[in-house]
Amino acid sequence: MDTWIGLMSGTSMDGIDAVLVSFQGKSVRTHATHSSVYPEDLRKRLVLASQNQATPDEVGELDTLVGTLFANTAEALICKSGVERSSIRAIGSHGQTLRHQPSGPGRFSLQIGNPSIIAEKTCVTTVGDFRSRDMAAGGQGAPLVPAFHQHFFGSDTEDRCILNLGGIANITWIPSERGSPVTGFDTGPANALMDAWCQDQTGRPYDENGQWAEEGIIDQALLSDMLTDAYFERPAPKSTGKEKFNLRWVKTLVRRHNNVRPEDVQRTLLQLSVITATRQMPQSPAMVVYACGGGTRNRLLMKELTQSLSPIRVLSTAELGLDPQWVEPTAFAWLAQQAMERKPGNLPEVTGAKGPRILGAVYPA
């Protein structure tokens, strides 16, 4: 049986998740997983580059450094798994997003992490650059995981909303009624702003379990100001990233309000993530929400989401057979399979592309 590797590093820019899987019909078997953490100096350089504070030489160097780390992570996964290298059909590498600008005359989405290096070091065919073709066809290039969600998480008996809580939150609405369209889009920030504010104020890269946010209270005036951002009212298809929702965005808003304690800002940012995700979900009392992504490890975030959506049930994608941490890298393993089998990987109704497209560029071993 063919196996596939998925490599993913999200907008949090904290490291790389790798998964080795096989697919049979609508089932996924996870053979091995591995994670690598970015060295702190590299993470800082990536953040600066994502804010347009890097020269072309520096971006080129980061492309090589990140590609090497992706390759090393894949190699560590292969060694850990014990599988024959010859059984691995391909690696699907999302890369590391530096900038995502899905609107305007020069629309683009830039992911670094040179796939040629991954193919060369692992001796495994690698598929990368998944977003460009969808954008060339008029789409946003994001989110791409809804096609995977539909294939593996769809149900004939239950309306399902898949909520991915990464740096940015996105939802996939999968109605049970045959013929009803799947929809999906980025709702706004999930962990990105909380992580950035926590790092800036405490030196810690994230707020473990939301413990610091729990010390604060929601500042309603600040929250109301945040919610006036036009992105939240924009109709789909839409996608966003840290180009918009970043530390500068937070500090600009905080300066308008007097004497807001840092922990109150953190608590307010958590509530912003909850409100913007839940308000933009379809109004279906019969649906079940299945959460995945790093935000599922934030106890306070999950508690607030559950209370906000009650009586709608909020469960983990583990209930559907896939651990929430590994949904996104598994999706890019599947997108690699789609590319190798010359099958579309996008959902035009989600991204806004002119039609289904085969996604990704193939780098042979």
Side-chain angles (χ1 to χ4, degrees):
M1 178 183 291
D2 286 339
T3 57
W4 306 82
I5 288 176
L7 301 174
M8 178 71 196
S9 183
T11 50
S12 295
M13 294 184 169
D14 51 4
I16 304 159
D17 285 333
V19 64
L20 177 72
V21 295
S22 56
F23 303 112
Q24 184 142 14
K26 290 196 172 187
S27 65
V28 181
R29 180 183 174 190
T30 303
H31 298 272
T33 61
H34 185 72
S35 293
S36 298
V37 177
Y38 282 146
E40 183 58 21
D41 61 332
L42 176 59
R43 192 192 70 80
K44 288 179 179 177
R45 291 182 66 186
L46 289 169
V47 170
L48 288 173
S50 73
Q51 298 168 351
N52 281 332
Q53 298 181 48
T55 66
D57 281 353
E58 289 168 332
V59 172
E61 182 182 347
L62 288 171
D63 185 42
T64 298
L65 292 173
V66 171
T68 301
L69 276 174
F70 269 69
N72 292 342
T73 302
E75 190 64 28
L77 174 72
I78 295 168
C79 293
K80 179 190 287 188
S81 72
V83 304
E84 292 291 332
R85 196 177 298 261
S86 59
S87 76
I88 305 171
R89 180 84 181 279
I91 296 170
S93 177
H94 171 269
Q96 177 64 68
T97 298
L98 278 193
R99 298 287 288 183
H100 180 67
Q101 299 286 18
S103 59
R107 305 160 59 253
F108 71 94
S109 188
L110 174 62
Q111 286 74 41
I112 63 169
N114 192 334
S116 291
I117 294 175
I118 302 172
E120 184 67 27
K121 285 184 170 290
T122 63
C123 299
V124 177
T125 294
T126 299
V127 186
D129 189 23
F130 286 99
R131 301 190 185 276
S132 294
R133 184 59 191 277
D134 183 87
M135 297 190 80
Q140 297 262 318
L144 295 183
V145 290
F148 171 81
H149 292 162
Q150 178 190 37
H151 185 79
F152 289 98
F153 296 151
S155 168
D156 292 333
T157 59
E158 181 179 82
D159 292 339
R160 291 175 174 173
C161 182
I162 311 301
L163 172 61
N164 177 45
L165 297 166
I168 299 297
N170 58 68
I171 62 173
T172 305
W173 168 240
I174 314 174
S176 58
E177 183 178 352
R178 288 186 179 275
S180 295
V182 172
T183 57
F185 54 90
D186 291 345
T187 61
N191 305 314
L193 297 184
M194 290 187 285
D195 290 350
W197 183 253
C198 186
Q199 176 79 49
D200 184 71
Q201 297 293 310
T202 72
R204 300 191 302 270
Y206 63 95
D207 180 15
E208 186 171 1
N209 279 323
Q211 293 176 353
W212 187 42
E214 207 158 20
E215 296 174 11
I217 60 173
I218 299 168
D219 187 291
Q220 294 295 341
L222 176 59
L223 178 62
S224 296
D225 204 356
M226 290 175 171
L227 288 169
T228 62
D229 193 287
Y231 180 82
F232 302 129
E233 300 300 325
R234 189 182 306 167
K238 63 178 180 177
S239 57
T240 189
K242 291 171 76 172
E243 302 76 26
K244 177 174 183 58
F245 293 111
N246 52 38
L247 186 62
R248 184 173 60 254
W249 186 87
V250 176
K251 287 188 171 182
T252 298
L253 289 166
V254 169
R255 280 195 293 268
R256 298 177 188 171
H257 302 267
N258 296 323
N259 303 318
V260 184
R261 300 181 305 165
E263 59 268 34
D264 295 344
V265 175
Q266 187 75 0
R267 182 67 182 82
T268 304
L269 289 171
L270 187 145
Q271 191 66 16
L272 176 71
S273 297
V274 170
I275 289 176
T276 52
T278 56
R279 278 187 181 175
Q280 296 180 74
M281 286 181 184
Q283 299 302 305
S284 171
M287 76 175 174
V288 180
V289 174
Y290 292 91
C292 58
T296 58
R297 299 195 294 269
N298 184 320
R299 180 186 53 78
L300 181 60
L301 178 61
M302 294 307 298
K303 175 185 172 184
E304 293 298 320
L305 276 166
T306 301
Q307 290 181 351
S308 178
L309 287 167
S310 181
I312 293 169
R313 289 185 296 157
V314 179
L315 304 174
S316 163
T317 54
E319 300 289 334
L320 302 177
L322 195 53
D323 185 288
Q325 182 176 347
W326 305 110
V327 171
E328 279 205 295
T330 301
F332 282 91
W334 179 76
L335 285 168
Q337 182 190 55
Q338 292 294 99
M340 295 296 290
E341 295 181 354
R342 310 300 293 166
K343 296 177 181 177
N346 65 335
L347 289 179
E349 58 269 35
V350 169
T351 65
K354 296 173 185 174
R357 295 292 187 270
I358 298 168
L359 306 181
V362 178
Y363 299 76

